[in-house]
Amino acid sequence: KAQERFNWRMTTTWPAGLPFFQTGPGSATDFARRVEEMSDGRIRIRVYSANELVPAFEGFDAASSGRQVQLNHGCAYYWAGKSFAAQYFTSVPFGMTFQGHNAWLNEGGGYELYREVYEPFDLIPLVVGCTGVQPMGWFRKPVESLADFRGLNIRMPGLAGDIYNAIGANARLLPGGELFAALERGAIDAAEWVGPYSDRELGLHRAAKYYYSSGWHEPATSTEVVVNRRAWESLPKDLQAIMRNAAAACNITSHAWLEARNADALDDLVNNHEVQFGPVPDDVIQALLEATRDILSDRASNDELTRKVHESYFKFKARHDRWQANSETMFQTQIRDLGQKILG
Amino acid sequence: MPLEYIALMMVAAFFVLVLTGIPVAFAVAAVGFIFGFIGFEGWLFELLPSRIFGTITNYTLLAIPLFVFMGVMLDKTRVAERMLEVIGHASGALPGGMALAVILVGVLMGAATGIVGAAIVTLTLMALPTLLRRGYKPTVACGTICAAGTLGQIIPPSLVLLVLADTMNLSVGSLFAAALIPGLLLATLYVLYLFVLAWFYAADVPALDAAERAAMSTRQLIRDLFTSVLPPLALVLAVLGSIIGGIAAPTEAAAVGAVGAMVVAAVMGRLSRPILSETLKVTVRITAMVFFVLIASQVFALAFRGLDGEFLVEAMFNWVPGGPYGTLLFMLLLIFLLGFFLEWIQITYIVVPLFMPFLAGYPEFSTVWIAILIAMNLQTSFLTPPFGWSLIFMKGVAPRGIKTTDIYKGAVPFVIIQVAALGLLVAFPQIALWLPEAIGW
Amino acid sequence: MSRLLLRIERALNQVTRLAGGVAAVSMAALVLLVFINMAARYALGIGTVWSQELEWYVLSLTVMTGIAYAMRADEHVRVDVFSHHLSRVGKLWLDGITMLVVAIPVSLLVLYYTWPFVQIAYVRGEGSPNAGGMPWLFLPKAMILLGFALILIESLRQLLRIGRRLVFHYRHPRRHNAGSAGHAA
Ligand code: NA
Ligand code: NA
């Protein structure tokens, strides 16, 4: 029994070769490789990129039925149409960053709720990656005030799209392949993708020059692997532990990898590609915050489970914010700035 | 038996079944199901509805019915037909002039409709009897019409480019921009060929006789050019301009084209309720059949994956010598050969995705360039006897006196020209890449 | 018996004719919808997520009702290099066999695999993943069921018609050229 072997299929929501998500440290293929190595080949996971086996957003259902596909790699907010609460496990607009988000998941009851939300789908979630804070996005024209958002065509999927609509913009849906072209040609005025490294790979700096920060809409985008429940339960305890530990390792590895790449990429974009990088005016943030508050509280009251997740998240956030204000935030402002002056 | 062998047998069975003459959509689905059940007891087919759903709700493919509507509308209102008459007269004094007019109209119809079937049928019904009456050699007349009618496949907007953009995850706009010059290059090569023919074999392509030319005054001709050629031309420029110029997304521009075609027809006094209803019906039929083949191909594609067919392709590519260019030429050759039997939809939807991982391994190749090479190659497959679609369409509507061999023989010089154009594209990628780069795509 | 079959054939004929009508109307709606969405955004600066998503709801309806109608008009993409040498009766046999052993099983299989797919979307009340998007995601999914049910119906109709013609042909061998044999087609 201990030597039973598992040959599994994992679909993903990503095109083949997409760094961070599909290839490279902490990605979907890296997760499969780690699991195979740690289990000495007892679990083999064949990874399929989007459209190879099923279209990008159909892998969740495939893993849910679990007979052909046992796992899917993606982001929880893609499943908001199936269960609105899923949104919270990827990232929450104006929510917590990497540290707080992971602290909530691991120690603040987040993981338990995550499992509860996916229970009807017969899926077990594992957090496997984090992009860190994403930028707000690329704009063809400078943003000087809230008025600049009126009628602005912006490529923004999910909840953030609704929030932009609430402040007067038009959220557009576009396939990934059209993103660069649409922005470059002006069919849309603004777009967001992942972060400096991934955005540069897509060439967005050649399409627009105003790059705004910081990503209020996705402060800590987490990626997930969902495992079919029956497949999960068929695993002996040691292999379950291997899966969990491979996920935890990918989570930290992917974040570390992208943090390093983003630092280089941002320097390159600003120094070599005439990209204007900076914050948006306060009145924009103010309006976005108010819209987020209204929309989130409205949607959270829609169903019981979302309300529960919402309350858990924001209760944890309030507590964690107080600690972070006196640790991370203080360090990043007062201590770091002084430190840079003296230590260089 | 290893699964890969079953995959190989599946491909062979598909060719056989298609040749019996049963509808391609049913053949591709049936073969997929049968070999899926033999190879893996069919369990993978549970994923089939997801794939079908992905096809019928695809944003890029949404442009297909809109472009088809635009083309059918211009065809049914006889706007395209009128274009041919006027241009034919305008180029009448030249030996081979009428053939040149056919090429020119092929370019215009290609840009306006892009529906090969409609273009071939219209050109054959309109131009073939005229060409024959004026003493054109039947093979030359047939070949010219087939080649001209097929230009719509490469000249944007085109369904092939739309489906390629979807499968290769490229922007429709950049593919359209990249295909424009190669398409025009091809048309130019056709024209050069006709000039050469007129020079050496003037009797094969006689000029319009003086009496017929005298029947229409120059003033009348100029007026006709303005009223019959200019409106559709303006529509084409508006649609292509707004896609390539980036004013609108391709699907939106297609909607403008569809509505614009109605406006052009109305302005020319040809829009009526029966014509609108007929246009809708024909559009539905063409669109539904393209999608039916796409949907049915999902069964085959899923079975091919389930039978580890991708390892077969991998083994094949590893075996090919010659590095990146060896791989590229091998792929082009394979598509050319498949083009004898398969239709562009299957090639772009099943075959191309299997090749992509290998070509993605060569960053020195631009994906846009590869896409245009594939499109140009598919263009050829329309004209290769015995199964080229253009030839089959033409045979369906040609006058009784025309033999199948006339059509086959006539197509051969144009197939050679196409292969030459493909060679030029391989040697000089800038033919495709210059325009998109110059306008900053 | 043959009376009953003829009546069934006529009823099925009505169904695919209706499907063709629905497809044509929904095709017109599709053109207008995409055009209006575009015009509204460029001219008036307004656009909603649901109206963009509605575009592919309508596309799925157009396509899936259109296939049976296109089959009816025999718009099939096919390679008839060999089959066009067949006699009229030979062609009838080929088409009849295609319907019986290919078209009908294929549509039954697709229906079988699609049923749970639609059912799950319906039971879970799935909607758009985009906020402000369309509800009832099961609707475009159910179009696959509708489409293949119509393909099945059209295949049955063609099978009945072909069967009737073949019976007529073998009963009245001298009149086999009478194309009017298929008076109900
Ligand atoms: Na993002
Ligand atoms: Na075209």
Side-chain angles (χ1 to χ4, degrees), chain A:
Chain A
K1 172 80 186 170
Q3 283 312 309
E4 196 185 340
R5 286 178 181 274
F6 298 87
N7 283 309
W8 282 354
R9 289 189 175 79
M10 178 161 81
T11 49
T12 73
T13 52
W14 323 110
L18 187 67
F20 179 83
F21 297 100
Q22 189 73 357
T23 53
S27 67
T29 46
D30 191 36
F31 173 77
R33 186 187 58 82
R34 279 166 197 263
V35 167
E36 185 171 336
E37 274 180 15
M38 287 158 99
S39 68
D40 194 23
R42 287 160 64 204
I43 308 180
R44 280 177 205 269
I45 300 176
R46 206 155 129 192
V47 182
Y48 293 89
S49 22
N51 290 326
E52 282 189 349
L53 219 47
V54 289
F57 301 118
E58 298 292 329
F60 185 89
D61 283 352
S64 167
S65 91
R67 279 180 291 270
Q68 288 74 46
V69 170
Q70 290 74 22
L71 315 101
N72 183 65
H73 189 287
C75 280
Y77 65 0
Y78 295 144
W79 324 125
K82 302 175 194 292
S83 175
F84 185 78
Q87 183 90 44
Y88 289 77
F89 304 109
T90 302
S91 204
V92 177
F94 295 105
M96 293 180 279
T97 56
F98 181 69
Q99 286 136 308
H101 190 72
N102 275 297
W104 171 63
L105 284 170
N106 285 300
E107 298 298 328
Y111 242 126
E112 285 77 11
L113 289 166
Y114 205 167
R115 281 192 284 267
E116 192 180 334
V117 169
Y118 282 177
E119 206 176 326
F121 304 95
D122 281 330
L123 291 169
I124 313 278
L126 298 169
V127 176
V128 290
C130 186
T131 66
V133 182
Q134 298 197 0
M136 185 165 162
W138 297 86
F139 289 71
R140 286 167 56 85
K141 290 195 196 116
V143 173
E144 269 142 21
S145 73
L146 181 59
D148 291 328
F149 278 88
R150 184 146 299 283
L152 190 89
N153 287 308
I154 183 165
R155 191 266 188 182
M156 185 68 58
L159 191 58
D162 219 21
I163 296 168
Y164 274 118
N165 277 342
I167 68 162
N170 296 327
R172 287 285 321 268
L173 307 173
L174 278 180
E178 291 293 339
L179 180 56
F180 169 78
L183 184 62
E184 207 271 339
R185 306 267 96 190
I188 51 174
D189 309 304
E192 72 87 50
W193 186 235
V194 179
Y197 176 79
S198 313
D199 295 5
R200 188 185 57 181
E201 293 286 295
L202 204 61
L204 292 182
H205 59 289
R206 289 185 278 117
K209 288 294 175 201
Y210 300 94
Y211 197 19
Y212 286 104
S213 200
S214 117
W216 61 273
H217 64 298
E218 289 186 41
T221 308
S222 284
T223 56
E224 64 172 20
V225 160
V226 289
V227 191
N228 178 269
R229 174 181 303 284
R230 283 181 307 279
W232 178 261
E233 282 164 0
S234 72
L235 288 180
K237 285 276 170 295
D238 62 328
L239 292 185
Q240 287 185 350
I242 283 174
M243 294 278 287
R244 272 196 299 267
N245 281 288
C250 282
N251 192 18
I252 188 77
T253 310
S254 65
H255 182 254
W257 183 80
L258 198 56
E259 282 289 303
R261 291 299 162 287
N262 278 339
D264 293 345
L266 183 60
D267 280 349
D268 177 48
L269 287 172
V270 171
N271 297 332
N272 305 327
H273 299 282
E274 295 110 38
V275 168
Q276 305 278 317
F277 191 81
V280 286
D282 280 345
D283 65 333
V284 174
I285 297 293
Q286 177 83 27
L288 287 167
L289 264 167
E290 283 162 10
T292 303
R293 182 198 55 206
D294 296 346
I295 287 171
L296 268 185
S297 59
D298 175 50
R299 296 299 300 262
S301 61
N302 268 2
D303 70 288
E304 188 56 25
L305 197 50
T306 306
R307 195 187 51 74
K308 219 162 100 183
V309 176
H310 183 91
E311 275 171 11
S312 164
Y313 185 91
F314 280 97
K315 223 164 115 189
F316 187 89
K317 180 177 179 296
R319 203 148 37 102
H320 183 259
D321 279 356
R322 287 195 294 279
W323 155 240
Q324 199 171 38
N326 294 296
S327 58
E328 186 81 14
T329 312
M330 193 180 286
F331 188 94
Q332 297 295 14
T333 51
Q334 183 199 8
I335 309 280
R336 193 196 59 186
D337 289 354
L338 274 177
Q340 274 178 344
K341 276 189 195 123
I342 293 163
L343 298 174

Side-chain angles (χ1 to χ4, degrees), chain B residues 178-198:
Chain B
L180 196 57
I181 293 181
L184 295 177
L185 169 78
L186 198 56
T188 311
L189 291 176
Y190 291 169
V191 168
L192 286 178
Y193 164 71
L194 288 172
F195 273 134
V196 172
L197 208 63

Side-chain angles (χ1 to χ4, degrees), chain C residues 130-156:
Chain C
N130 297 298
M134 286 286 292
W136 306 315
L137 198 69
F138 75 92
L139 271 180
K141 291 185 174 182
M143 288 306 138
I144 305 174
L145 288 180
L146 175 67
F148 277 88
L150 288 170
I151 293 171
L152 182 67
I153 287 173
E154 173 61 18
S155 307
L156 280 170

Side-chain angles (χ1 to χ4, degrees), chain B residues 21 24 247 252 285 387 389, chain C residues 41-42 69 77-79 81:
Chain B
V24 171
I247 297 160
E252 299 171 333
R285 297 207 292 258
F387 307 127
W389 285 108
Chain C
R41 188 165 50 250
Y42 287 93
Y69 169 63
V77 175
R78 59 166 102 207
V79 179
V81 218

Side-chain angles (χ1 to χ4, degrees), chain C residues 106-184:
Chain C
V106 162
S107 19
L108 285 172
L109 277 170
V110 176
L111 287 173
Y112 168 78
Y113 286 115
T114 308
W115 179 256
F117 176 74
V118 178
Q119 200 185 21
I120 285 172
Y122 179 75
V123 170
R124 288 180 185 158
E126 268 181 43
S128 162
N130 297 298
M134 286 286 292
W136 306 315
L137 198 69
F138 75 92
L139 271 180
K141 291 185 174 182
M143 288 306 138
I144 305 174
L145 288 180
L146 175 67
F148 277 88
L150 288 170
I151 293 171
L152 182 67
I153 287 173
E154 173 61 18
S155 307
L156 280 170
R157 183 191 75 85
Q158 291 194 16
L159 187 65
L160 287 176
R161 193 193 56 167
I162 290 164
R164 182 163 52 75
R165 287 181 163 190
L166 282 175
V167 166
F168 183 85
H169 167 77
Y170 290 111
R171 278 207 191 134
H172 310 276
R174 271 165 304 161
R175 287 173 58 195
H176 75 278
N177 274 330
S180 60
H183 53 270

Side-chain angles (χ1 to χ4, degrees), chain C residues 71-88:
Chain C
M71 275 177 73
R72 195 166 177 275
D74 199 25
E75 281 279 339
H76 278 296
V77 175
R78 59 166 102 207
V79 179
D80 60 355
V81 218
F82 295 123
S83 62
H84 85 268
H85 294 298
L86 289 175
S87 67
R88 209 179 63 86

